[in-house]
Amino acid sequence: MRPRQLPGALTGAVAAIACVAAAAGCTPSASTPPPAAGLSGRGPITFMTAADPSGGTDELVQAWNTAHPDEKVTLLEQSSTSDQAHTALAQNFQARSDRVDVARINSVWTPEFAARGWIAEIPASAVDTGKIMPAPLSTGRFTGKTYAIPWFTDAGLLYYRTDLVSTPPKTWAELKQACAVAKANNIGCYAGQFAKYDGLTVNVSEAVASAGGSVVDAGGTKATLDTPEALDGVKFLVESFRDGTIPKAAITYQEEDSRKAFMNGELLFLRNWPYVYNLASKPGEGNKVAGKVGMAPLPGRSGAGKPALGGWNLAISSYSKHQETAADFVEFLVAPQQQRVLLTKLGLSPVLAELYKDAELVKQYPYLEGLAKALDTAVPLPQSTNWAGLSLAVQESAYAALQGSGTAEDAVAKLQTAVTEALARQ
C-alpha cells in the first residue's frame, strides 16, 4: 500500500499566507520571474495527482518504482475538483514548499503558474515531445517556452441514447427538435456542467465558440463578448433552461453529477469529456445505458460545434530538489506504453497521435477516430495568467442568467465587464 494524503494537509499555516484568487477573490503577485531553464537534482519525488479508483496510476507508479529503486515516486492526492486542486497547489507553491515535485495541473493554469515562477521551464532536452499532438502540446507553453507537458487531453463531446435516437443532432435546432423524444420517454433532454465552478466557464466558452464567438482575444488580453456571436452562444444556454431543453436540475451538475444522471437513464443527450464513454459502456449496477451509448461531435449554431480543448498537464515545481528525476518521470508518463495504460485503465485520452491510429486500440475503443477529429477542431479555453479570476467572472455573470435572473443580453453585458476587469488584474 502506498501512502495517501489529502489536499487538506497542505492548508493550515500555509493558508494564512496564501492569497488564492479562486477562493479569496484576489490575485497572487506575479512579480516573481519564471525560473531560467536548467533542471537539477536527483532522488525520490512526490507526484500530486487526483485519486484514481481504477488503479491505473498505481500501476504506472509501481512500474517506475521497480525500475528506479533509488528514485521512487510517492503519490499525493489532490482534489478531483479543479477549483479545489488549484487552491491546494497555489498554497503549496506560495509557501515555496518542496513537498510536491511533479504536479498534475489543469491546462488552463499553465500561464498563471509559469508567470508566478511556481513551475520550472522544461528544456527541450529534458523531455522528448516529438510524438505529442500539437494542440495539447500548445497548452503547456507560455511566452514561447515550455512549462508543462500534456499528460492527457480532452475535448467536449455529445453522448446520446442510440436506442432512442438514430442520428445525433448536428445543430442546436436539431437538438431542440429531438427533445420531443425525451419528453415522450419522460426523461430530460440535454445537460452539461452548469454548477457555479470551472465547468460552467468551460460550457459557456464552448457555447460561445460554437456560435462563432470567443471569450477573449487570441492574446488573452481583451474581452470579446460584445459580439452577436457571443450573444447567440449565451442565449442558447439561457433559453434552453427556460424552455426545458436543459432540465432545471442541471444547474447543480458538475462532470460526475451529469455522468451519473445520463447513466441512470435520466437524459437523452449529455455534453461531457471522453472519460465517460468507458464508464457508460460498461454494464454494471447503476448503469442503465450500457450498450445504448453513442458519441458524436457537439452541435453548434449552424453546424458542428467547437468543443473546448481541455486536459491536464504535468509540471515540475520550481521548488523541487529533484527536478532531473521529475523530468525523467514526466517523460516516462508520456511514453507510448504508459499512454496506453492511461487509455485502457483510466479511460483518459492519450496525447500521442499514433495511438489514435492503432488498429488494436481503435477496435477496442471505436470512439477514438471521432475523438481525434474533435481534437482537431477543439478551441483552447481562454488563456490568462489570472485564470481563477477570469473563470470566477464568467461563473458569476452566467450563473444568474441560467437561473432565470435577467436576459441573455444582460448576461453578455455583465460578462464583458467582468472579464475585462479580470484581465486587468493579470
Side-chain angles (χ1 to χ4, degrees), residues 342-399:
L342 198 74
L343 171 63
T344 59
K345 290 291 183 69
L346 285 79
L348 300 173
S349 307
V351 297
L352 303 182
E354 65 187 74
L355 297 186
Y356 290 85
K357 301 175 183 178
D358 184 290
E360 180 183 341
L361 290 177
V362 171
K363 182 178 180 180
Q364 187 176 359
Y365 304 98
Y367 68 87
L368 285 177
E369 184 178 0
L371 176 56
K373 292 179 181 178
L375 289 169
D376 285 340
T377 61
V379 176
L381 288 163
Q383 297 296 299
S384 171
T385 58
N386 182 23
W387 164 260
L390 185 151
S391 180
L392 188 62
V394 173
Q395 296 166 39
E396 293 284 355
S397 301
Y399 190 74

Side-chain angles (χ1 to χ4, degrees), residues 81-287:
T81 301
S82 180
D83 309 54
Q84 295 175 3
H86 178 280
T87 297
L89 272 172
Q91 290 172 347
N92 179 80
F93 288 142
Q94 287 177 352
R96 297 177 177 266
S97 170
D98 63 358
R99 188 175 194 180
V100 175
D101 299 281
V102 177
R104 188 193 80 149
I105 69 169
N106 195 306
S107 59
V108 296
W109 303 342
T110 302
E112 174 191 354
F113 286 13
R116 284 158 175 62
W118 291 346
I119 54 179
E121 180 187 342
I122 302 175
S125 59
V127 177
D128 181 7
T129 61
K131 295 182 178 181
I132 297 177
M133 302 165 80
L137 192 60
S138 69
T139 67
R141 296 182 65 79
F142 176 67
T143 63
K145 300 175 182 178
T146 298
Y147 286 92
I149 306 297
W151 187 25
F152 60 91
T153 190
D154 265 330
L157 296 162
L158 182 74
Y159 292 89
Y160 65 98
R161 290 279 299 276
T162 57
D163 59 324
L164 300 178
V165 175
S166 58
T167 304
K170 295 182 175 62
T171 66
W172 289 335
E174 290 179 4
L175 185 150
K176 286 181 178 288
Q177 290 172 359
C179 287
V181 176
K183 186 176 181 180
N185 286 273
N186 199 30
I187 60 176
C189 185
Y190 170 78
Q193 295 74 49
F194 303 112
K196 193 187 290 187
Y197 79 119
D198 276 352
L200 176 56
T201 304
V202 172
N203 277 248
V204 170
S205 299
E206 215 163 47
V208 168
S210 293
S214 62
V215 175
V216 301
D217 63 3
T221 59
K222 181 182 177 182
T224 54
L225 287 148
D226 53 350
T227 66
E229 293 80 10
L231 175 60
D232 282 350
V234 174
K235 187 177 291 186
F236 165 69
L237 296 178
V238 172
E239 292 183 350
S240 291
F241 266 98
R242 288 181 178 172
D243 66 21
T245 297
I246 302 175
K248 294 188 181 301
I251 198 70
T252 66
Y253 285 176
Q254 297 190 16
E255 279 86 354
E256 282 296 272
D257 305 305
S258 60
R259 174 187 69 81
K260 291 174 182 176
F262 181 73
M263 288 175 59
N264 195 43
E266 299 171 17
L267 296 167
L268 181 61
F269 299 110
L270 170 68
R271 178 264 171 229
N272 213 318
W273 303 106
Y275 84 99
V276 170
Y277 186 85
N278 281 2
L279 296 171
S281 300
K282 184 178 180 180
E285 186 178 352
N287 185 8

